[in-house]
Amino acid sequence: MKESLRAIFAGDLEIDEVNEMLDHWCKRASRSRLSSFIRLSKTIRTHRDGILASVILGVSNGRVEGLNTKVRSIIARSYGFHSAKATLALVMLACGPIDLKLPYERASLST
């Protein structure tokens, strides 16, 4: 059942097919007598509109989770800095819109 649910979200189905397959999966999960699948089917039914919108738009929270992991890693490395400003500066340098070029990467002004 886990693999059939994963196939629904693979991204290669039309929204009508996803809707139909979710209905079928939720019915099977409710009858499975496995508490985790029953709870998941209730959650899917509760958040069905959001799930279908996610499938239509093709968005996920993967980028946000990746950024959170990167920031947490930087914070862990900055343990012992004297101020929070230094940590924030390091986060902005690594994750922010700052684009630094090393001297050998810069274009020569004389040409």
Side-chain angles (χ1 to χ4, degrees):
M1 287 189 59
K2 175 184 70 125
E3 293 302 320
S4 64
L5 184 62
R6 184 176 290 176
I8 294 172
F9 296 107
D12 55 349
L13 300 173
E14 295 294 324
I15 190 63
D16 295 332
E17 294 171 323
V18 171
N19 198 10
E20 182 180 324
M21 290 176 79
L22 272 178
D23 282 339
H24 181 68
W25 191 91
C26 286
K27 288 176 187 174
R28 280 185 51 205
S30 296
R31 287 180 275 150
S32 71
R33 295 184 185 173
L34 297 171
S35 62
S36 57
F37 280 134
I38 292 170
R39 191 172 63 242
L40 179 59
S41 70
K42 288 179 184 178
T43 303
I44 288 174
R45 287 182 179 136
T46 303
H47 299 288
R48 184 181 198 83
D49 294 335
I51 291 169
L52 292 177
S54 172
V55 170
I56 291 170
L57 298 173
V59 296
S60 72
N61 63 345
R63 287 185 185 208
V64 174
E65 292 298 329
L67 181 63
N68 285 342
T69 302
K70 190 173 186 178
V71 169
R72 287 175 198 256
S73 171
I74 290 169
I75 290 171
R77 279 188 294 175
S78 68
Y79 179 76
F81 282 7
H82 291 287
S83 69
K85 284 185 177 182
T87 303
L88 184 59
L90 190 58
V91 168
M92 288 302 294
L93 182 64
C95 303
I98 300 170
D99 185 28
L100 293 178
K101 300 265 188 221
L102 295 173
Y104 64 85
E105 295 175 333
R106 295 182 187 149
S108 172
L109 295 177
S110 61
T111 57

